[in-house]
Amino acid sequence: MTRRVHSGVVEEHPGSAALPASAQVVVIGGGAVGLATADELARSGADVVVLERDLLGSGSSAKPFGGVRATFSDPGNIALGLRGLEKYAQLHERTPGGIGLQRVGYLFCARTEGEALALEVSTGLQRSMGAVADVVSPARAAELNPLLDPSVLVSASFSPQDGYAQPARAVAAWAASARAHGARVLEGVEVLDVVTAPLDDPHVTGVVTSAGTVRCEHVVVAAGAWSASVGRMAGADLPVEPVRRQIAFAAAPAGLRPATGQLPFTLDLSTTFYVHGSPDGLLLGISDPAQVPGFRRDYDDSWVPAFEAAAAVVAPSLVGLPLHGGWAGLYENTPDHNALIGRSREVGGLVVATGFSGHGFLQAPAVGEVVRDLVLGREPELDVSGFPPERFAPTSAAPLLREVHII
Ligand SMILES: Cc1cc2nc3c(=O)[nH]c(=O)nc-3n(C[C@H](O)[C@H](O)[C@H](O)COP(=O)(O)OP(=O)(O)OC[C@H]3O[C@@H](n4cnc5c(N)ncnc54)[C@H](O)[C@@H]3O)c2cc1C
């Protein structure tokens, strides 16, 4: 048994099991998606091995807080979000000490008539699918989050069922549950190649790793921002591009009510500036338009000018707050900023669950169920036909997704 502190959470890890010679399913990647999938597969009785080259959660899933929501504009994303919320509530209940789930709501702010109309349409669709969400006035938005300047808003949407959880706790919970149901979850094992045969109709037959070879019938690509290279190993084109995203904490301005842990996750649709309440203070971030794609994950303050320019308009009291606990991770972007989920048409036995473009934590629990069914040859309950991995191929007739609520 080893003890580690991960994003402030102390975790007990059983030592890694030995690499087996064969398994029914190999999951590549020990992040939220790979572990949620392994848990579902193991609970269904499948013989599953997770291979993580570093530590569990050390990819993008290790961030301090993860927003969970069903506030999307695409029905496929709404359905994954709703099921994710349900599954996170269950995981919180069944995990000793919970996963830090707090339903503080998401507050999306519109500053133009166009954004307000988009919010009205997507909120209506969310409600028709069973979500709890409403369009609210600028004054109500400022009551929910007093950091906002209501005079610059046209409207907002508020979805009280949404919130946040602690990814490190969720990752540890799935790993423990998967292991308890017989999965072998290995750290420090890198997949170097995916073996397929025969040449004219390839099907996965195994993986070559830094610790030896594993024969298998199915491979799940859950390698986050590194999925393009894993796809190439198998002969599948997975257009996933890494882009650094940075966040940091700040102490709330004096006298702020509600308490920071209860503030809704607040986003300015015009700039993607966001402020997120958490028990550790305000969590601040923005999609920095100057950030170039690449694998760098060092934290610096290059994002702060873009954040402060947006904050000066929407929430002026946030300008100049001292930042602490800064963290950089990778978004795993696809060309339309939506996930790649499905069986590969190019390679038999290869199932893809990647490219979540910044919403993989909230989608992981639902995607775990879907991938379980795809691997086991069942029809998934949720319709993921809008996310085919091959949709960007020049020969593909599948439409690209148009999602308005990308953060
Ligand atoms: C700053 C920031 C904030 C975010 N906020 C949110 C949020 O609020 N809500 C939300 O839903 N999402 C959020 N995201 C996105 C979310 O973190 C990711 O979408 C999610 O963690 C992806 O999970 P994953 O399991 O697919 O990938 P990862 O967690 O990256 O896991 C992939 C794993 O694969 C391993 N791997 C790669 N190649 C190999 C190999 N060859 N062999 C073995 N292992 C390999 C890696 O080491 C890694 O651990 C945020 C991301 C960032 C960076």
Side-chain angles (χ1 to χ4, degrees):
M1 185 79 80
T2 55
R3 261 177 126 242
R4 293 198 186 102
V5 180
H6 213 180
S7 298
V9 180
V10 179
E11 300 162 0
E12 302 287 345
H13 287 256
S16 272
L19 189 77
S22 67
Q24 185 184 357
V25 191
V26 167
V27 176
I28 305 177
V33 174
L35 290 166
T37 299
D39 187 29
E40 296 292 346
L41 281 164
R43 286 164 163 267
S44 294
D47 169 25
V48 56
V49 175
V50 179
L51 301 178
E52 165 55 50
R53 67 175 169 203
D54 197 337
L55 299 177
L56 299 181
S58 63
S60 301
S61 299
K63 66 192 168 298
F65 286 89
V68 293
R69 63 178 165 121
T71 39
F72 287 93
S73 63
D74 174 78
N77 282 327
I78 296 171
L80 288 172
L82 279 171
R83 184 69 183 135
L85 287 170
E86 211 179 311
K87 300 267 306 176
Y88 270 129
Q90 292 165 4
L91 187 65
H92 186 65
E93 283 301 308
R94 71 178 163 96
T95 301
I99 57 161
L101 181 66
Q102 293 280 342
R103 290 182 183 264
V104 295
Y106 263 63
L107 187 62
F108 279 7
C109 300
R111 284 199 277 135
T112 67
E113 294 297 338
E115 288 167 1
L117 181 63
L119 274 188
E120 221 173 288
V121 172
S122 58
T123 305
L125 179 60
Q126 290 153 24
R127 270 210 308 273
S128 75
M129 293 178 66
V132 184
D134 257 318
V135 173
V136 298
S137 67
R140 176 66 183 141
E143 261 172 40
L144 291 162
N145 186 343
L147 296 167
L148 290 170
D149 175 357
S151 71
V152 299
L153 305 185
V154 175
S155 72
S157 71
F158 182 56
S159 47
Q161 75 203 337
D162 298 338
Y164 63 82
Q166 285 179 262
R169 287 189 188 276
V171 159
W174 282 313
S177 172
R179 282 175 168 138
H181 288 86
R184 283 161 289 187
V185 180
L186 278 68
E187 295 178 304
V189 179
E190 181 167 10
V191 174
L192 304 172
D193 201 6
V194 177
V195 186
T196 62
L199 262 183
D200 56 347
D201 182 20
H203 194 289
V204 298
T205 59
V207 295
V208 179
T209 82
S210 53
T213 298
V214 186
R215 288 190 311 282
C216 62
E217 297 160 36
H218 306 275
V219 165
V220 177
V221 182
W226 300 270
S227 294
S229 64
V230 172
R232 274 193 297 276
M233 293 176 195
D237 183 24
L238 303 178
V240 177
E241 182 177 64
V243 182
R244 183 173 65 156
R245 175 66 68 91
Q246 309 199 76
I247 50 179
F249 289 99
L256 180 71
R257 290 284 173 275
T260 48
Q262 295 307 315
L263 271 190
F265 186 120
T266 304
L267 174 98
D268 172 39
L269 289 170
S270 293
T271 57
T272 76
F273 144 98
Y274 64 80
V275 53
H276 183 165
S278 86
D280 296 340
L282 301 174
L283 184 67
L284 309 177
I286 191 167
S287 168
D288 180 359
Q291 182 62 59
V292 292
F295 282 104
R296 64 181 285 204
R297 282 200 281 173
D298 54 309
Y299 177 82
D300 62 26
D301 59 7
S302 57
W303 63 283
V304 176
F307 176 84
E308 294 209 329
V313 178
V314 190
S317 62
L318 295 179
V319 176
L321 285 184
L323 301 178
H324 63 91
W327 189 81
L330 294 175
Y331 264 38
E332 66 292 57
N333 286 346
T334 64
D336 66 5
H337 294 258
N338 282 284
L340 311 176
I341 308 169
R343 296 188 188 100
S344 165
R345 291 210 194 116
E346 297 157 298
V347 186
L350 191 74
V351 178
V352 176
T354 187
F356 292 93
S357 306
H359 35 270
F361 178 63
L362 70 95
Q363 294 190 337
V367 169
E369 278 187 340
V370 167
V371 174
R372 172 202 64 200
D373 292 341
L374 293 174
V375 167
L376 298 180
R378 305 173 184 162
E379 189 57 36
E381 204 178 300
L382 294 181
D383 178 11
V384 291
S385 59
F387 304 93
E390 295 86 358
R391 68 184 178 277
F392 306 105
T395 51
S396 170
L400 304 190
L401 267 92
R402 301 209 182 284
E403 172 57 64
V404 177
H405 300 316
I406 299 286
I407 299 182

